[in-house]
Amino acid sequence: NNDNTNDNKLFIERNGDRFQYVLDFMRDGGYVSLPTNIPKDALLQDLAYFGFQDIDPAKITVTVSASLFSDCHDHFELYLEKIKVTRKLLDLVVYCLSEYKTHGKLRVIVKYDYKKDLYCTACNMINSQQLRQEFGSHLEEIGLKIKSVEYNSSNENNMAIILLDFL
């Protein structure tokens, strides 16, 4: 038949993304290097489906790319930073709760000289709605809410003032 019909096309119901590795297997004497997103077992099943025999699984390796490590490292660093911020906010919540339990105060003063890390966290909340919201959600868990956070510098005594209230 000389007309160009679909008679010469062959359709095989397998994963098209993995087929390139089947071709690599044929071209490279059974050696294949897979990326981490292609399961080795799935390729072995494809090879069996296509009729390959005496497949040596040791010749099929999974290669982890440097960019994958870089992406994971960057994600880990961002997550670690978020944990550090949350920890600082929780430390400030504990300090506020301690001040309330010990002195019955809903006006908490955090002095730079006395609690530098807590002072810095409180001051950061002044300029960050997101930090205030996260701090407020932690306070709500213990029945308190934040009214305001202020910075006060008088007589060389830097302090942050946190005003709390009951829910």
Side-chain angles (χ1 to χ4, degrees):
N1 193 353
N2 288 338
D3 60 351
N4 290 333
T5 64
N6 289 340
D7 294 344
N8 295 333
K9 292 185 178 180
L10 177 64
F11 177 78
I12 300 173
E13 180 61 43
R14 297 308 283 179
N15 184 302
D17 292 334
R18 289 193 305 258
F19 189 71
Q20 64 182 317
Y21 302 103
V22 172
L23 294 175
D24 288 346
F25 179 86
M26 292 173 17
R27 291 180 185 131
D28 299 330
Y31 289 93
V32 180
S33 179
L34 297 173
T36 56
N37 64 326
I38 303 290
K40 184 176 180 177
D41 289 342
L43 180 64
L44 290 169
Q45 288 176 351
D46 287 346
L47 292 171
Y49 174 85
F50 290 118
F52 291 98
Q53 298 174 356
D54 300 324
I55 302 165
D56 182 1
K59 290 183 176 182
I60 301 172
T61 59
V62 177
T63 304
V64 179
S65 69
S67 66
L68 178 65
F69 280 125
S70 177
D71 291 347
C72 287
H73 177 64
D74 292 346
H75 181 72
F76 176 76
E77 289 297 321
L78 288 172
Y79 186 69
L80 187 60
E81 187 58 33
K82 183 178 178 183
I83 289 171
K84 287 178 183 177
V85 169
T86 300
R87 170 93 192 263
K88 289 177 183 179
L89 288 172
L90 288 172
D91 287 346
L92 188 56
V93 167
V94 168
Y95 181 73
C96 289
L97 183 58
S98 172
E99 286 292 297
Y100 173 71
K101 286 179 75 177
T102 304
H103 305 290
K105 295 181 181 180
L106 291 174
R107 182 176 186 263
V108 178
I109 297 174
V110 185
K111 294 183 179 180
Y112 176 81
D113 295 337
Y114 181 62
K115 294 279 189 183
K116 184 177 179 181
D117 287 343
L118 296 178
Y119 167 83
C120 290
T121 301
C123 288
N124 287 336
M125 283 195 312
I126 294 170
N127 299 318
S128 171
Q129 179 69 25
Q130 181 180 351
L131 288 179
R132 278 193 309 278
Q133 286 176 341
E134 186 176 345
F135 181 72
S137 68
H138 294 304
L139 284 174
E140 286 176 9
E141 292 181 30
I142 57 173
L144 296 172
K145 65 181 180 180
I146 187 171
K147 285 178 72 175
S148 67
V149 180
E150 303 167 0
Y151 169 78
N152 189 350
S153 177
S154 61
N155 300 333
E156 299 177 18
N157 199 5
N158 296 330
M159 65 181 79
I161 302 168
I162 303 170
L163 296 177
L164 305 172
D165 202 354
F166 297 103
L167 287 178

